[in-house]
Amino acid sequence: MIVYYSGTGNSAHCARSLAGALGDECVSAFEYIKNGVAAELSSERPYVFVSPTYGWQLPRIFAGFIRSARLNGSREAYFVMTCGSEIGNAGKGLRALCAERGLDYRGVLEVVMPENYIALFSAPGPEEAKHIIGRAAPVLEHGAELIRRGEPFPERAPGALDRLKSGIVNSVFYKFVIRDKAFTVTDRCVSCGKCAEVCPTNNITLSGGRPVYHGKCTHCMACICRCPAQAIEYGRSTAKKVRYYLDE
């Protein structure tokens, strides 16, 4: 079973690609997370958890989903993490999560996809994004073949910088960077409510037809990247930046 969490579509794309290659079921964690419901899942095939990388670790919001889920059947767990460049030492946390849940950790596959964290970085234009997604295809095909053969994903030895990024930098990232105070709404807002609809933490409500943030942001970038009017900004850092959302 392929279980995924996705804010702007990269991980959803990878999950669906794997499901198609493996002929397996594909389940989104979004509604479970948004509604605060523990998932009850059952699979005789290995679980394949697909998600973005937040601060060189599995997103805490998705780790919480896995912790609360009732996972029946197979105890094998593969992880696929999308990223703009690399995932650091994320494997250490994944191994610990599997030990906590009584799962057999089968490794993590790093898949470079178009950058979407526009609060800090720049997303590629459509043509460049298309090329990046194309380069990810054989990586996913190889990952599917390893799963099909029952082999673990190969582990690479993390360096000192990897350990730093996934350790103290991740902690600092969540403590000081993951905030919603910098989000602003321009006069382009059409009061469609899309931002509230796609927010996994129910952090956004509409007041007078305009989005209001309530301090529970996870920085998935869904609200800013999926706004049809491009009416949401993150301080000055997103002004005139390309929005990225992979819609399929």
Side-chain angles (χ1 to χ4, degrees):
M1 178 181 288
I2 318 297
V3 185
Y4 71 93
Y5 161 68
S6 187
T8 61
N10 280 338
S11 296
H13 168 82
C14 291
R16 291 168 187 147
S17 295
L18 287 169
L22 294 168
D24 207 348
E25 184 180 2
C26 194
V27 176
S28 172
F30 178 81
E31 292 298 334
Y32 294 105
I33 293 171
K34 189 172 181 67
N35 295 320
V37 176
E40 181 158 5
L41 306 173
S42 182
S43 177
E44 295 308 312
R45 296 184 180 186
Y47 286 99
V48 183
F49 297 105
V50 186
S51 86
T53 304
Y54 287 4
W56 299 281
Q57 287 277 19
L58 191 75
R60 293 182 181 180
I61 191 172
F62 193 47
F65 164 86
I66 295 172
R67 285 191 176 94
S68 67
R70 292 183 286 275
L71 303 173
N72 303 307
S74 175
R75 304 317 294 164
E76 292 184 283
Y78 289 85
F79 290 83
V80 175
M81 294 180 65
T82 59
C83 58
S85 57
E86 39 82 24
I87 65 172
N89 190 28
K92 179 181 179 180
L94 298 176
R95 190 180 295 276
L97 176 61
C98 285
E100 180 184 333
R101 287 302 329 265
L103 297 171
D104 175 16
Y105 175 62
R106 303 293 286 164
V108 56
L109 182 71
E110 175 184 284
V111 183
V112 175
M113 291 287 283
E115 180 62 65
N116 59 4
Y117 190 51
I118 63 172
L120 291 180
F121 307 111
S122 294
E127 284 304 310
E128 184 183 356
K130 184 177 179 180
H131 287 305
I132 296 170
I133 295 166
R135 289 197 296 269
V139 178
L140 291 165
E141 289 170 6
H142 179 60
E145 181 59 27
L146 291 173
I147 296 169
R148 192 180 294 113
R149 296 202 303 253
E151 299 178 16
F153 292 148
E155 294 280 345
R156 67 175 181 85
L161 187 57
D162 293 319
R163 291 191 288 270
L164 179 67
K165 288 177 176 178
S166 298
I168 190 170
V169 175
N170 177 268
S171 297
V172 170
F173 177 72
Y174 269 93
K175 186 171 183 179
F176 296 108
V177 179
I178 305 301
R179 299 286 185 273
D180 61 16
K181 294 185 183 299
F183 283 104
T184 58
V185 183
T186 72
D187 290 338
R188 293 192 297 272
C189 177
V190 295
S191 304
C192 67
K194 184 70 172 181
C195 52
E197 175 189 334
V198 301
C199 178
T201 63
N202 296 308
N203 185 49
I204 303 171
T205 58
L206 296 187
S207 178
R210 295 175 68 83
V212 176
Y213 290 75
H214 297 282
K216 300 182 295 180
C217 186
T218 191
H219 270 211
C220 69
M221 298 291 112
C223 64
I224 188 170
C225 285
R226 296 175 67 177
C227 173
Q230 295 193 12
I232 299 174
E233 301 286 357
Y234 188 78
R236 296 179 180 178
S237 64
T238 58
K240 299 182 180 180
K241 277 187 179 179
V242 172
R243 270 51 170 166
Y244 174 79
Y245 174 59
L246 181 54
D247 192 8
E248 297 181 328

